[in-house]
Amino acid sequence: MAIITYRDAIRDALKEEMARDEQVYLLGEDIAQFGGSYKTCVGLFEQFGKERVRNTPLSEMAVVGCALGSAMLGKRPVAEIMYVDFTACCMSQIVNEVAKTRYMYAGQVEIPMVIRTQGGAGRASAAQHAQSLEAWFTHVPGLYVVMPSTPYDVKGLLKTAIRDNNPILFIEHKLLYNSKGEVPEQEYTIPLGKADIKRPGKDVTILTWSRCVEFSLGAAKELEKEGIDVEVVDLRSLKPLDEETILSSVEKTGHVVVVHEAVKNSGFGAELVALINEKAFDSLDAPIQRVAGEEVPMPFNPRLEAMAIPDSKKVANAVKKVLSL
Amino acid sequence: MFLTYYKETRVSIPKAQLPELYRRLYLCRQFENVTIKLFTNNELPGFLHSQLGQEAIPVAISGCLGDGDFMQPTHRGHADMLSKGMDPRKMMAELYAKKTGYNQGKGGSMHMASVKEGILGATGIVGSGPVISIGVALALQMDKKPNVIVSFFGDGATNEGSVHEAINMAALWNLPIVFVIQNNQFAESTPRKDHQKVDDISIRAEGYGIDGYTCDGNDLFAVYEVASKAIKKARKGGGPSLINAVTYRILGHYVGDPGNLYRDKEEVENAKKRDPLQMFKNKLKEMKALDDAAFKRIESEVDALLDEAVTFGRESPEPQDEELMAYIYS
Ligand SMILES: Cc1ncc(C[n+]2csc(CCOP(=O)(O)OP(=O)(O)O)c2C)c(N)n1
Ligand SMILES: [Mg+2]
């Protein structure tokens, strides 16, 4: 197995899928010679040309609308919105059009499109370039939401997302692009809606995704020294959601901590708490704890920024708390 | 209501104003040079967009603005802010994410604001500025103020739907606003010919029923001429204008982008030959508006001010932990 970065795993997935199916094309801002703002498309313009790697004007609404229109006619667009914060500029297209077209048309069309974007804090990018907005999209019927945390997952899931016939928000994390991991040289895909147990354990279940997997594994390592055995479940996709893996882990440990970077209020963690409440209440030995972003626009100052999001220490504290209740 | 192209006629800038305009131009330039250095040395967090080479546009335009007038800069806007009178010390402190900065370390380069001084924060969402600017213009109109707002945006931003909405509504309501495109030929990595079909963006003015001008954005006198006309008109209730100030982005999109993947070196070298600071200085010398001693005095005063600004930024205190949650709600 090769060790590659999350960034290169994305590029490889795009490259392989574009080579495999000529209906796949990319569109977005600065994805041509520049290779994308986060350099996830380097070399694709040179390999596939300007018809299939379409550099667009600064026009997010047109990018998403165009992807939708072409998807109805059988194209498989992968649209890049540079920051998840900018999906707000094309939200009507995503929410009112992309998500609903197939249903409104009573199945006359399929919408095989992916919107790739990235979010998250950690680079002092301030309030408009560092948000975690996945809950906006999980709230809308008709969209899938995928948020991988490792090079292996990002490659396998992006390939599946491109082959899937539903509109998918594929949300990367800007601090993961340089992270490295093993990725097989041979072809593989990962099904949507399958969580991955990143660390098995018997005492406490952590439900998490994206960059917070890193914080959760860090906490688990520390807690191991104190004899606490934590299971880290990486959801990988929030929609479809792997209820089975979640519930069986909860049944095993009886203690749950949900960890996500998005602000706590109305975050996807609340949905998970409700799900467990509805389906596994009797398995719980203590109230579920949440570790999440503070209820604040992201500050520019790096120290304040770090305070506003989860870290391993906050996660470890929550685990200890759930065990003490 | 008719399209106006700017031709080579000149109204001269009042002579008494020239030294001050030179001071501001030099200040903007040196602020860029200093911050680029600090950022490259990893002293400043986040990211930095340099306005180097575009300074004549905001300096000329600010020269036509006074107290009570407003400006909305772009994300590439340190020169916009300085030219309208923001304090380089408090700007530097903000870039250092310090408590003494304009936004107390919460905003950074892109969101620095001084509403009291008539400067709204830029927005990090390209194309979002103009729709907000028209609200300021509306409030000025409702309050029957003799003031205007200048709304800056880039050539790339002109392709955002929001910019279209802003100009149309401002035209319809005759708002006291001047839209100024700092046309630096690039939207991040995308050259202008790859993001819009028209050569001269100001022709879009006709579609909104307002005046459009195109001028040499590196020639401070040229910008001043069209800006003074457009601002005077807006002040008198004549409604908005659109100015296409043509310039060139000498550096990459952000400090750290070598800017070499999407343009020729030669093109950049040629553009550097039309340096707005040098052009203005030459003109002033030709006019004998300032002598060598005067230039020297201005430059060393500015250099000292910037030294002080850097020290102020470096040595100022960080915001306290409990300030994280301040200013979310009133
Ligand atoms: C809505 C939105 N889309 C994309 C971006 C990323 N971005 C930041 S600046 C920029 C280029 C803007 O070009 P232009 O308007 O010409 O201004 P310039 O940077 O040249 O000053 C891009 C693509 C953004 N900040 N906001
Ligand atoms: Mg530009």
Side-chain angles (χ1 to χ4, degrees), chain B:
Chain B
M1 278 299 221
F2 296 99
L3 185 68
T4 324
Y5 281 103
Y6 171 69
K7 302 227 181 55
E8 280 294 305
T9 50
R10 291 267 148 104
V11 285
S12 41
I13 302 173
K15 215 159 175 183
Q17 230 188 314
L18 292 172
E20 175 56 16
L21 290 179
Y22 182 74
R23 192 190 71 81
R24 291 187 201 174
L25 189 62
Y26 183 78
L27 170 64
C28 293
R29 170 59 56 86
Q30 289 311 102
F31 192 87
E32 296 299 331
N33 284 329
V34 169
T35 49
I36 289 167
K37 206 150 135 216
L38 295 173
F39 187 84
T40 312
N41 291 341
N42 289 323
E43 273 198 56
L44 307 177
F47 41 82
L48 193 66
H49 303 102
S50 170
Q51 210 170 351
L52 195 120
Q54 302 178 203
E55 304 93 336
I57 301 167
V59 171
I61 286 170
S62 295
C64 307
L65 297 176
D67 287 347
D69 290 330
F70 283 83
M71 167 191 286
Q72 184 155 29
T74 77
H75 57 280
R76 189 181 305 289
H78 296 160
D80 303 350
M81 302 165 193
L82 286 164
S83 68
K84 178 87 168 65
M86 272 170 81
D87 179 348
R89 281 163 293 218
K90 290 201 261 173
M91 285 176 62
M92 201 66 85
E94 186 60 31
L95 293 178
Y96 273 95
K98 298 296 179 68
K99 170 72 182 164
T100 52
Y102 270 109
N103 303 31
Q104 304 186 21
K106 289 182 161 162
S109 164
M110 277 189 298
H111 311 302
M112 250 187 268
S114 180
V115 179
K116 228 175 30 210
E117 293 171 288
I119 298 135
L120 303 193
T123 150
I125 307 300
V126 172
S128 241
V131 279
I132 303 166
S133 297
I134 66 167
V136 172
L138 175 63
L140 293 171
Q141 187 187 59
M142 291 170 92
D143 291 345
K144 303 198 167 40
K145 292 270 173 63
N147 298 108
V148 300
I149 178 164
V150 170
S151 185
F152 284 123
F153 47 99
D155 50 303
T158 63
N159 301 320
E160 291 281 5
S162 52
V163 173
H164 162 73
E165 295 182 25
I167 303 177
N168 182 58
M169 207 153 111
L172 188 68
W173 291 353
N174 231 30
L175 296 178
I177 183 165
V178 178
F179 296 102
V180 180
I181 305 163
Q182 295 195 24
N183 183 352
N184 64 9
Q185 310 303 320
F186 292 91
E188 195 157 329
S189 74
T190 308
R192 216 169 54 74
K193 67 168 177 30
D194 292 341
H195 74 63
Q196 56 194 195
K197 196 146 180 174
V198 288
D199 272 336
D200 180 352
I201 321 177
S202 76
I203 67 166
R204 291 188 184 171
E206 195 172 10
Y208 299 111
I210 62 172
D211 290 343
Y213 302 91
T214 289
C215 67
D216 178 352
N218 286 15
D219 178 347
L220 202 146
F221 286 93
V223 180
Y224 189 94
E225 157 131 28
V226 290
S228 59
K229 261 197 231 169
I231 290 170
K232 203 178 287 165
K233 181 173 181 181
R235 246 188 238 302
K236 286 204 254 162
S241 306
L242 176 66
I243 298 175
N244 171 26
V246 181
T247 179
Y248 192 90
R249 201 192 70 208
I250 298 292
L251 297 175
H253 173 56
Y254 44 78
V255 179
D257 165 23
N260 57 359
L261 290 176
Y262 45 86
R263 58 186 185 178
D264 300 335
K265 212 170 159 179
E266 202 186 317
E267 182 184 301
V268 182
E269 289 311 312
N270 279 336
K272 279 186 188 163
K273 290 183 195 139
R274 300 196 71 260
D275 177 42
L277 179 70
Q278 208 50 53
M279 281 164 63
F280 190 58
K281 196 169 180 178
N282 290 345
K283 187 81 192 172
L284 294 184
K285 280 183 178 164
E286 209 178 281
M287 294 166 67
K288 300 202 181 352
L290 281 169
D291 60 21
D292 284 350
F295 280 121
K296 257 228 170 80
R297 199 184 54 244
I298 292 173
E299 290 167 8
S300 56
E301 274 171 23
V302 167
D303 291 341
L305 176 61
L306 286 175
D307 283 347
E308 191 193 327
V310 173
T311 309
F312 180 72
R314 258 191 207 134
E315 293 176 0
S316 282
E318 292 249 341
Q320 304 280 315
D321 288 1
E322 51 289 0
E323 289 170 52
L324 172 64
M325 302 306 282
Y327 305 120
I328 303 173
Y329 300 103
S330 295

